[in-house]
Amino acid sequence: MPILDLPYQNPISKDKKILYKNARIIDPKTNYDQIGELLTIGDKIADFGKNLNAKADQEIDCRGLVLAPGLIDIQVHFRDPGQTHKEDLASGSASAVAGGITAVVCQPNTNPVLDSVLTFDYLRLKSREIAYCNVMAYGAITKSMKGEELSDMNSLHQAGAVGFTDDGLPVMNANVMRRAFEYSKNLNVVIAQHAEDLNLSNKGCINEGIVSLELGVRGIPNISESVIVERDLSILEAVGGRYHLLHCSTSQALDAIRRAKEKGLNVTVEVSPHHFTLSEDQVLISKTNAKMNPPLRSKEDRSALIAGLKSGLIDAIATDHAPHDLISKEKTLEEASFGIVGVETMLPLSLALYHNKILTLPQLLAKMTCNPAKIINYDGGEIKKLGRADLVLIDLDCEWKIDSSKFLSKSKNSPFDNFNVKGRAVMTVVAGKIVYSL
Ligand SMILES: [Zn+2]
């Protein structure tokens, strides 16, 4: 059984020294990649280098494994408050650290919605008490995520909101989107969009394509995503601000982002591991466990996402971790809930990009550390002196089979059950404390 510990409820003593020896230290932000040692004192990185000659209270032989900044997942649904039978801050964060993730950004579509200072206070206090990693959250763009009236962004930002989104739902009203950009501009935070034109989606449940035709179910067309992205980028160009596209799934949306970046607009984009690992035909195998929103797309879209990762167009990898209980998934494709769990499989699935020589290791890790940190203005995701001691120790080459029954998440809804993968997190450190060890 893995070992778990709470970094804030049970914090490391301020002067405790831990020396990580014989580690391949990688800092994607500076492209540092050396075998050496890293010393933490309390919750900070004190030093790192080839040979520190340091005395420590504890020494850990890293056996040449990769020691990198802890991963940052800027898209998770921990269902807390409101649906804690599916996940809560304890189980979600346990699941995260088991995947090498040391910081997450929760989406606001909880019950109640994260649209008030009170909900942010709850999240902060509760996660200090029961979470195994750093927990942040986006605030809702609109009150109750109804898409009508803007939330009080200023107060929410002061209460800790790292950006704003109505994820789960798109902001369909263009004028609301315009106002959101205007308000967020002064706060210098992103407006993150779940890009989906609900009229074009027309209650579709999987990608509109060969598989939806074969199964005779309603599909969600690619333009459902891209028309909203094109609209948002037009508004952004006129108004200013920062735009972040959540879980991009189509080549058309990615093209729009490319053009916007070429124009110099302040735009970032993330992709989820399932979208660059699988395509729509996985629905025939995994059924409702391959149903998520946006859906798994065509092979051409998948290739475009991989090309976008390779070229650097895609800034970040984020899971869209969406736990559901059995009842929500043991239904017809049309009736089942959207979403799959992801925090425990992000790293091994993403490492395939490295093993298949699509990205170098620093390039890949940047998309899960310093790049997402920048998107949410977070002081983390790098290895630097006096930086936060949030780290992950990665065994790149261990081959193993994903077993969803062993997930620390309360939910097991994953199309990757029984998948053969290579590489995983073997130890995770949050605020200097070893919070997870395989
Ligand atoms: Zn979404």
Side-chain angles (χ1 to χ4, degrees):
M1 275 301 282
I3 298 162
L4 284 169
D5 204 349
L6 292 165
Y8 297 110
Q9 185 65 11
N10 185 19
I12 193 164
S13 70
K14 273 209 311 269
D15 47 8
K16 178 158 179 181
K17 296 177 178 175
I18 303 181
L19 185 64
Y20 298 84
K21 296 175 76 165
N22 190 23
R24 180 181 167 194
I25 301 167
I26 297 185
D27 179 41
K29 194 167 179 182
T30 54
N31 254 316
Y32 182 93
D33 185 352
Q34 299 273 333
I35 299 276
E37 302 180 341
L38 184 146
L39 178 73
T40 63
I41 304 181
D43 61 1
K44 296 275 190 298
I45 294 171
D47 205 357
F48 62 99
K50 208 164 165 47
N51 195 341
L52 299 180
N53 289 317
K55 282 214 158 43
D57 305 298
Q58 187 182 351
E59 289 192 352
I60 291 164
D61 180 2
C62 298
R63 299 176 286 126
L65 302 182
V66 168
L67 188 63
L71 310 182
I72 299 171
D73 184 355
I74 52 175
Q75 223 219 123
V76 304
H77 301 267
F78 279 178
R79 310 293 189 210
D80 192 349
Q83 286 188 297
T84 50
H85 60 291
K86 295 183 175 182
E87 197 80 290
D88 60 25
L89 290 166
S91 63
S93 62
S95 183
V97 295
I101 294 162
T102 56
V104 295
V105 176
C106 296
Q107 307 301 299
N109 62 339
T110 46
N111 187 12
V113 166
L114 303 183
D115 63 358
S116 68
V117 170
L118 199 67
T119 51
F120 271 85
D121 287 346
Y122 165 82
L123 209 63
R124 189 180 62 253
L125 295 170
K126 197 80 190 166
S127 51
R128 286 287 303 175
E129 204 181 301
I130 64 170
Y132 295 92
C133 69
N134 297 297
V135 175
M136 295 170 277
Y138 283 128
I141 295 175
T142 63
K143 288 183 181 162
S144 305
M145 287 177 47
K146 286 192 175 147
E148 294 160 1
E149 201 184 334
L150 286 185
S151 62
D152 183 351
M153 290 185 175
N154 237 319
S155 314
L156 292 181
H157 182 246
Q158 275 170 24
V162 297
F164 293 91
T165 183
D166 273 1
D167 181 44
L169 293 170
V171 176
M172 284 294 289
N173 183 322
N175 192 41
V176 170
M177 201 61 184
R178 174 189 180 174
R179 299 287 172 231
F181 278 126
E182 283 170 353
Y183 277 97
S184 68
K185 221 161 72 170
N186 297 327
L187 303 173
N188 187 29
V189 294
V190 291
I191 295 295
Q193 178 75 290
H194 165 114
E196 178 185 7
D197 184 305
L198 295 174
N199 300 311
L200 284 166
S201 287
N202 195 20
K203 298 197 168 65
C205 62
I206 59 171
N207 184 47
E208 182 180 284
I210 43 168
V211 179
S212 67
L213 264 178
E214 189 178 327
L215 296 176
V217 295
R218 215 180 291 184
I220 302 171
N222 280 26
I223 46 171
S224 161
E225 181 173 79
S226 56
V227 297
I228 293 292
V229 174
E230 299 273 14
R231 180 205 72 177
D232 289 348
L233 292 170
S234 295
I235 301 171
L236 178 76
E237 191 173 3
V239 176
R242 289 171 62 189
Y243 182 65
H244 178 65
L245 177 58
L246 300 164
H247 46 51
C248 179
S249 69
T250 63
S251 65
Q252 292 85 352
L254 202 55
D255 264 344
I257 296 288
R258 178 185 295 111
R259 280 182 266 118
K261 284 193 170 188
E262 281 165 5
K263 273 188 197 169
L265 298 185
N266 211 334
V267 176
T268 49
V269 56
E270 71 184 34
V271 66
S272 299
H274 46 270
H275 286 126
F276 65 73
T277 308
L278 304 174
S279 47
E280 58 193 327
D281 43 358
Q282 187 69 26
V283 173
L284 300 170
I285 300 164
S286 305
K287 311 287 191 276
T288 61
N289 276 339
K291 177 184 177 182
M292 70 289 285
N293 194 2
L296 298 173
R297 299 291 189 178
S298 68
K299 290 189 169 62
E300 291 73 28
D301 289 305
R302 183 186 162 213
S303 302
L305 296 181
I306 292 172
L309 284 158
K310 188 174 170 66
S311 71
L313 173 62
I314 294 173
D315 302 273
I317 295 173
T319 62
D320 194 11
H321 178 81
H324 286 295
D325 51 4
L326 272 178
I327 289 175
S328 309
K329 282 293 192 181
E330 285 188 336
K331 291 184 172 171
T332 63
L333 260 184
E334 276 139 329
E335 287 169 336
S337 300
F338 286 105
I340 62 167
V341 288
V343 289
E344 282 171 81
T345 50
M346 172 168 82
L347 180 59
L349 294 173
S350 301
L351 278 173
L353 298 168
Y354 157 72
H355 290 302
N356 295 331
K357 300 195 169 31
I358 292 158
L359 294 174
T360 67
L361 203 48
Q363 283 172 340
L364 174 66
L365 290 172
K367 295 182 196 299
M368 296 183 277
T369 55
C370 51
N371 291 2
K374 197 171 165 200
I375 292 167
I376 55 164
N377 304 333
Y378 182 61
D379 177 27
E382 59 187 312
I383 289 184
K384 63 172 182 189
K385 282 186 197 177
L386 298 180
R388 42 175 88 232
D390 291 351
L391 301 161
V392 58
L393 190 63
I394 303 167
D395 183 342
L396 292 176
D397 296 313
C398 85
E399 296 186 15
W400 60 293
K401 195 188 276 274
I402 293 170
D403 177 354
S404 60
S405 72
K406 296 213 170 95
F407 285 162
L408 300 187
S409 168
K410 282 187 186 178
S411 296
K412 316 297 173 192
N413 51 309
S414 168
F416 297 109
D417 192 33
N418 280 321
F419 246 61
N420 290 310
V421 287
K422 196 172 169 186
R424 72 188 303 171
V426 293
M427 183 185 282
T428 308
V429 178
V430 174
K433 184 114 192 172
I434 297 168
V435 294
Y436 169 83
S437 154
L438 185 64

